Amino acid sequence: MTARRKLSAYLALTKPRVIELLLVVTAPTMILAEQGLPNLWLLVATLIGGAMSAGSAGAFNCYIDRDIDRVMKRTRGRPLVTGELSDREALVFAYALGAASIAWLWLFTNWLAAALSLAAILLYVVFYSLILKRRTSQNIVWGGVAGCMPVLIGWAAVTGSLDWAPFILFLIIFLWTPPHYWPLSMKYKDDYAAAGVPMLAVVRGRAQVGLQVILYAWATVACSLLLIPIAGMGLVYSTVALVTGIWFISETHRLYNLAIRHEKVSPMRVFHGSIAYLSLLFLAIGIDPLLPF
């Protein structure tokens, strides 16, 4: 195997698309914490450390889930399934990247950001991958806590402490995760069933999943509006949060209405829409503190 192909396999192990989404929420959080543009090196250092932390968690997950990845069509191209990497190579890489991320954040940001990075890895690897994923249909709800940590890490990197605002951001992502991921589990229901993973779409009907998606979407949007008084958000964020929130909720209602009428549903429309919603919301979070209104 060529060095380039080997490096590509290691990169795939980190789940780059997940890293991209986590970085999308980190930078705006740091701008909000600074109430302006933070030190450029601090921003870059935090993003690098966060990417390494998320990559380590992703690599550990690929190692833990290598048995079910072989069963699911969606994951059969992962490096441990194809044999591009050995189990030992993946595990050593995961540990090394995780240790490097903690050391990096401690050295270039502060101890609190580093400690939160360690907590994020442990939450994803132990709490979600080892304990929850194969045992409960609520796996993605509580396992999603790990995906909320980047906002706390970003805030801590800037301020050296935590406040109410980052916890509201944390809660927004926490509530957003189920209506983001459950539509994906609807799409790949047969895959999860074959692998013995009790995703909500496997153990409940489409209508029940659709209803849960609606409830979490409403809660997400309500929480996003709480940020306005708590963080003193301005006109840009307020408008974006309201408009995109209404759109996001309407998309979840559309999914539910199709499900209860036993018509063909398009769960990936909600999945991709949820990514657009969160991206626009955090873009507004990053822009709002830079404006005088």
Side-chain angles (χ1 to χ4, degrees):
M1 184 184 296
T2 65
R4 183 175 181 180
R5 189 173 174 185
K6 197 81 167 180
L7 288 173
S8 179
Y10 277 116
L11 180 62
L13 205 63
T14 65
K15 300 185 178 181
R17 291 185 179 179
V18 175
I19 293 176
E20 288 174 12
L21 190 60
L22 295 178
L23 297 184
V24 161
V25 304
T26 303
T29 298
M30 295 179 71
I31 294 172
L32 180 62
E34 184 68 35
Q35 284 296 303
L37 291 175
N39 177 275
L40 181 59
W41 167 242
L42 179 64
L43 177 63
V44 171
T46 305
L47 294 179
I48 291 173
M52 290 194 294
S53 175
S56 169
F60 274 117
N61 179 258
C62 285
Y63 174 80
I64 294 165
D65 284 352
R66 63 195 185 282
D67 57 334
I68 62 176
D69 283 348
R70 292 186 175 94
V71 178
M72 296 176 62
K73 294 177 182 177
R74 185 172 68 90
T75 55
R76 284 179 183 170
R78 288 181 176 171
L80 293 183
V81 179
T82 61
E84 292 173 291
L85 293 174
S86 68
D87 292 352
R88 178 180 173 79
E89 285 175 323
L91 196 57
V92 169
F93 175 72
Y95 273 113
L97 193 59
S101 72
I102 296 162
W104 176 276
L105 288 170
W106 195 309
L107 183 62
F108 294 113
T109 61
N110 55 58
W111 70 267
L112 181 56
L116 290 169
S117 174
L118 173 60
I121 295 172
L122 292 175
L123 282 167
Y124 191 72
V125 175
V126 180
F127 190 52
Y128 173 65
S129 299
L130 289 176
I131 298 175
L132 294 176
K133 186 170 183 176
R134 308 188 194 205
R135 289 181 172 85
T136 172
S137 61
Q138 295 298 302
N139 48 20
I140 201 63
V141 177
W142 299 105
V145 169
C148 308
M149 297 299 286
V151 294
L152 300 187
I153 294 170
W155 191 281
V158 172
T159 66
S161 63
L162 294 173
D163 205 338
W164 282 111
F167 283 109
I168 294 297
L169 297 175
F170 178 100
L171 192 56
I172 289 171
I173 301 173
F174 175 79
L175 295 169
W176 167 87
T177 302
H180 164 66
Y181 202 87
W182 279 338
L184 182 70
S185 72
M186 291 176 70
K187 169 73 172 178
Y188 295 102
K189 174 184 174 181
D190 294 340
D191 260 8
Y192 285 114
V197 180
M199 287 296 177
L200 189 65
V202 174
V203 300
R204 295 284 187 271
R206 294 191 311 172
Q208 181 62 31
V209 177
L211 180 59
Q212 291 294 317
V213 167
I214 285 175
L215 294 175
Y216 274 98
W218 273 96
T220 302
V221 174
C223 188
S224 73
L225 298 178
L226 281 178
L227 193 64
I228 298 172
I230 288 176
M233 304 304 288
L235 181 62
V236 170
Y237 174 80
S238 302
T239 302
V240 170
L242 187 61
V243 172
T244 60
I246 292 172
W247 170 71
F248 182 38
I249 288 171
S250 69
E251 285 296 313
T252 62
H253 276 273
R254 180 180 180 277
L255 177 68
Y256 176 68
N257 290 336
L258 290 172
I260 61 175
R261 293 202 301 264
H262 302 288
E263 297 181 18
K264 183 179 180 180
V265 298
S266 302
M268 295 305 286
R269 174 170 168 165
V270 177
F271 173 78
H272 292 300
S274 67
I275 296 174
Y277 164 74
L278 194 72
S279 299
L280 289 171
L281 189 71
F282 272 83
L283 179 63
I285 288 171
I287 292 174
D288 200 274
L290 305 177
L291 302 176
F293 52 87

